[in-house]
Amino acid sequence: MRSERFEIEIDAPISEVWKMLTTPDGLASWFGTEAEIDLEPEGRRLIAWGEGVEMHASITHIEPETMLRVSYRHDGVETGAEEWLISRGNSVTRLTLINSMAGDGSDDWEGFYGDIRRGWRLFLA
């Protein structure tokens, strides 16, 4: 597994940032075109971009308005995770994403993870 950390500051209350991570409308507004989320431990999260492009994840940890962790699995083995941390600082909300992902099996690990890194930067913008 490889982890990458992303941090942004958002001029919004923590409660609004939390809604953007934990509600279907919130997720669909910045992460995909459609979203579903069952906000409870072992709940399901689905992000879709149309035409059968979907990402399925399970919620593994929740601390309301503080932390959310989702896990991607294949054949019972974790292949990736997103850990979202929310805190208040300097009159803004700080959102931190720690994204962990296993390689895709190719020899171009840097290229593969570079694409993931660019994607997160676009989504978080």
Side-chain angles (χ1 to χ4, degrees):
M1 288 277 210
R2 179 172 176 171
S3 294
E4 190 84 23
R5 184 182 189 100
F6 304 89
E7 291 185 354
I8 61 171
E9 291 183 342
I10 303 167
D11 187 15
I14 286 176
S15 60
E16 291 301 313
V17 174
W18 182 252
K19 287 178 189 174
M20 299 300 284
L21 294 173
T22 61
T23 66
D25 288 343
L27 285 164
S29 73
W30 67 273
F31 195 12
T33 56
E34 298 175 47
E36 297 175 13
I37 188 165
D38 182 16
L39 193 59
E40 61 182 56
E42 298 308 314
R44 180 177 161 254
R45 188 190 76 180
L46 166 73
I47 307 293
W49 291 270
E51 299 183 33
V53 180
E54 299 178 343
M55 282 186 1
H56 298 264
S58 297
I59 296 170
T60 57
H61 191 90
I62 303 168
E63 293 178 30
E65 297 191 357
T66 303
M67 196 267 256
L68 176 71
R69 185 177 189 281
V70 298
S71 172
Y72 298 99
R73 296 187 172 280
H74 181 71
D75 292 333
V77 175
E78 186 173 271
T79 58
E82 299 163 21
E83 186 170 324
W84 298 93
L85 307 169
I86 303 173
S87 61
R88 193 77 181 155
N90 299 330
S91 75
V92 295
T93 298
R94 181 174 294 114
L95 179 63
T96 302
L97 164 62
I98 301 168
N99 179 231
S100 303
M101 186 165 284
D104 68 348
S106 74
D107 292 333
D108 186 16
W109 173 251
E110 286 305 314
F112 167 74
Y113 212 81
D115 290 343
I116 300 298
R117 189 181 303 113
R118 281 186 292 281
W120 276 121
R121 286 185 182 133
L122 286 172
F123 284 123
L124 293 172

